[in-house]
Amino acid sequence: MRVAELRQQFPILGRTVKDKPLVYFDNAATSQKPQCVIDALTHYYSHYNANIHRGIHTLAEEATMAYEATRSAVQDFIGAASAEEIIFTRGTTEAINLVAHTWGRENVGAGDEIIISGMEHHSNIVPWQIICEEKNAILKVIPVLDNGELDMDAFKQLLSNKVKLVAIVQVSNSLGTVNPVKEIIAAAHQVGAKVLVDGAQSAVHLDINVQDLDCDFFAFSGHKVYGPTGIGALYGKKMLLDTMPVFQGGGEMIKEVTFEKTTYNDLPYKYEAGTPNIADTIALKTALDFIAKIGKNQIRKHEDELLAYATVQLQAIPGLTIIGQAKNKVGLVSFVIDNVHPQDIGVLLDNMGIAVRTGHHCTQPLMKRFGIPGTVRASFALYNQKEEIDVLIAGLHKTIKMLA
Ligand code: PMP
């Protein structure tokens, strides 16, 4: 992969921070955007800004076509059987909440169980807690092993016909662990449970095929796949989406409204009330096309090399412990250093132009499991280089010296 050439396509990578060249290692929080994505936004607003679906004028038609083209692009990106199964949402969080408040409200009852894991992001914990509280259902948690993998034996012990849903992250944003979701889905289906996969971190690194996985729901966010913020998608099996109750009420999601009764629109519009985020949806396709052009396999190979290189370099630093040493990981490394608070490391690295994330990464129960307040997390993208890891390692040595 020609990383130096690809970097040229990301204007932000040319800037400095605190008079140092930017080293951006916060890609798990949000990735940077290539010029083509930025251009797609400007082009939409300068050439064919219009509300979609309802208009018959040229601008409305062009905007509608571009918006729906993204739906087909997302269908391809995650291997869905049909575009009707793709619902646009603000992101992963809204997608999970949509399932909780529609499917969850209707299908989870008193005494039923929902299984999540000990490495879930808060957005795949709290919506299920809300439903469990409301319905008197029980939330069960798959434990995390010391190396950052799921305890699959314990998971199998948790399965019974009381379980209505397993909501599981495919790639941990705090550990980098790639979970065996296909195996989890098959086991959950054996007891009649549905499975929601949180793909917020996996969509950018792994080839996703929801039909092969056989998951019932899959959620991801555009801003982590080189696309804009404020747009993401929920995949749901048509059979489920068709029979689930509606989410928000308003324009677009209806067939006919009278004061006595309202009938609802077909999929996917049934779940897309109101004027959607048209510009960002359109630019998401540009981001997905950008990834496809490079090839996910090429990107993964490059990120794996960065991960291997960073892991060796970091492990050589005295007092540093990597949190999350799963056999199957993406390009993300979380660590702590003896007697130094992650926050202090983050501040000093920022002074050197290095952007890492520090803290609990919206996985407080996982931090508690490891008995730490948080970690320093460096997460890699297609535009990162080994030289930048060298800058991070030198920065860490300096930081330790300053804080010792
Ligand atoms: N799940 C995981 C694993 C995540 O990493 C994130 C984002 N940090 C989310 C869910 C939530 O995504 P968003 O904030 O884009 O809705």
Side-chain angles (χ1 to χ4, degrees):
M1 213 167 72
R2 294 205 175 96
V3 178
E5 267 171 44
L6 285 169
R7 285 179 70 83
Q8 299 295 320
Q9 297 186 42
F10 290 79
I12 207 168
L13 298 179
R15 74 162 278 181
T16 55
V17 169
K18 314 272 164 74
D19 293 328
K20 304 279 184 337
L22 167 67
V23 172
Y24 188 76
F25 281 156
D26 196 17
N27 296 287
T30 198
S31 59
Q32 297 302 346
K33 320 303 171 200
Q35 188 64 51
C36 57
V37 169
I38 302 165
D39 288 347
L41 293 169
T42 318
H43 183 68
Y44 165 73
Y45 282 122
S46 356
H47 287 86
Y48 59 106
N49 170 51
N51 211 331
I52 54 166
H53 293 142
R54 288 171 285 256
I56 52 147
H57 58 80
T58 301
L59 266 52
E61 225 166 74
E62 287 177 8
T64 304
M65 273 176 59
Y67 181 85
E68 290 303 328
T70 300
R71 205 184 300 277
S72 304
V74 170
Q75 178 197 345
D76 287 349
F77 185 65
I78 61 169
S82 100
E84 288 173 298
E85 297 179 314
I86 308 298
I87 314 291
F88 288 126
T89 63
R90 277 197 296 129
T92 306
T93 304
E94 192 178 55
I96 296 172
N97 276 278
L98 191 159
V99 177
H101 289 276
T102 58
W103 184 90
R105 282 232 163 91
E106 185 142 292
N107 291 282
V108 178
D112 285 345
E113 295 174 0
I114 293 176
I115 296 179
I116 59 171
S117 87
M119 63 173 84
E120 297 309 312
H121 188 277
H122 295 161
S123 61
N124 202 26
I125 302 174
V126 185
W128 306 118
Q129 275 176 330
I130 294 171
I131 294 301
C132 285
E133 214 162 282
E134 196 179 299
K135 299 287 180 181
N136 267 322
I138 301 146
L139 194 68
K140 296 255 168 118
V141 183
I142 310 168
V144 176
L145 300 171
D146 288 344
N147 69 353
E149 293 179 359
L150 289 178
D151 185 338
M152 290 296 285
D153 292 333
F155 165 61
K156 283 167 194 157
Q157 296 291 319
L158 289 176
L159 287 173
S160 75
N161 59 8
K162 284 190 196 152
V163 180
K164 291 291 172 285
L165 178 81
V166 178
I168 186 83
V169 72
Q170 189 169 16
V171 167
S172 160
N173 64 309
S174 296
L175 307 170
T177 311
V178 178
N179 287 321
V181 290
K182 196 168 170 178
E183 189 184 335
I184 290 171
I185 293 161
H189 284 170
Q190 289 271 319
V191 296
K194 302 289 182 231
V195 182
L196 176 142
V197 175
D198 173 349
Q201 294 296 335
S202 60
V204 72
H205 300 291
L206 311 181
D207 268 328
I208 308 292
N209 188 303
V210 290
Q211 290 182 83
D212 178 53
L213 287 176
D214 198 27
C215 55
D216 300 285
F217 301 103
F218 184 93
F220 78 97
S221 301
H223 69 96
K224 295 187 201 275
V225 296
Y226 308 104
T229 51
I231 182 64
L234 169 70
Y235 157 82
K237 281 184 181 163
K238 180 171 158 48
M239 198 180 55
L240 291 169
L241 293 176
D242 264 337
T243 53
M244 275 156 46
V246 293
F247 183 39
Q248 294 175 333
E252 194 63 29
M253 53 78 75
I254 55 92
K255 243 184 200 144
E256 196 181 355
V257 178
T258 66
F259 286 123
E260 290 71 38
K261 188 175 167 54
T262 291
T263 51
Y264 301 124
N265 208 340
D266 297 326
L267 288 178
Y269 312 109
K270 174 181 163 186
Y271 294 106
E272 293 180 6
T275 300
N277 184 352
I278 303 166
D280 294 315
T281 308
I282 290 171
L284 175 59
K285 179 179 185 300
T286 313
L288 300 184
D289 290 347
F290 172 81
I291 292 175
K293 212 167 145 194
I294 304 166
K296 262 198 190 168
N297 287 345
Q298 287 296 311
I299 299 172
R300 179 89 199 268
K301 198 167 149 259
H302 172 66
E303 290 169 347
D304 281 352
E305 279 166 22
L306 294 177
L307 175 67
Y309 185 70
T311 303
V312 171
Q313 303 286 319
L314 287 168
Q315 271 168 338
I317 295 179
L320 187 148
T321 308
I322 293 178
I323 307 293
Q325 310 238 29
K327 282 184 274 313
N328 195 359
K329 274 181 76 170
V330 298
L332 181 162
V333 62
S334 246
F335 57 88
V336 290
I337 297 177
D338 287 349
N339 309 318
V340 191
H341 198 282
Q343 205 77 18
D344 297 335
I345 301 173
V347 171
L348 290 177
L349 290 178
D350 180 57
N351 281 332
M352 303 172 206
I354 306 164
V356 291
R357 177 119 324 210
T358 58
H360 55 66
H361 318 297
C362 295
T363 54
Q364 282 179 350
L366 182 68
M367 297 297 118
K368 198 169 162 206
R369 148 74 180 85
F370 282 100
I372 50 177
T375 72
V376 180
R377 181 186 72 187
S379 50
F380 309 127
L382 63 89
Y383 40 69
N384 288 126
Q385 297 173 299
K386 279 189 180 160
E387 293 81 348
E388 292 179 299
I389 292 170
D390 294 338
V391 173
L392 170 69
I393 300 297
L396 285 171
H397 280 295
K398 229 181 193 174
T399 301
I400 292 167
K401 243 184 230 156
M402 285 163 89
L403 294 173

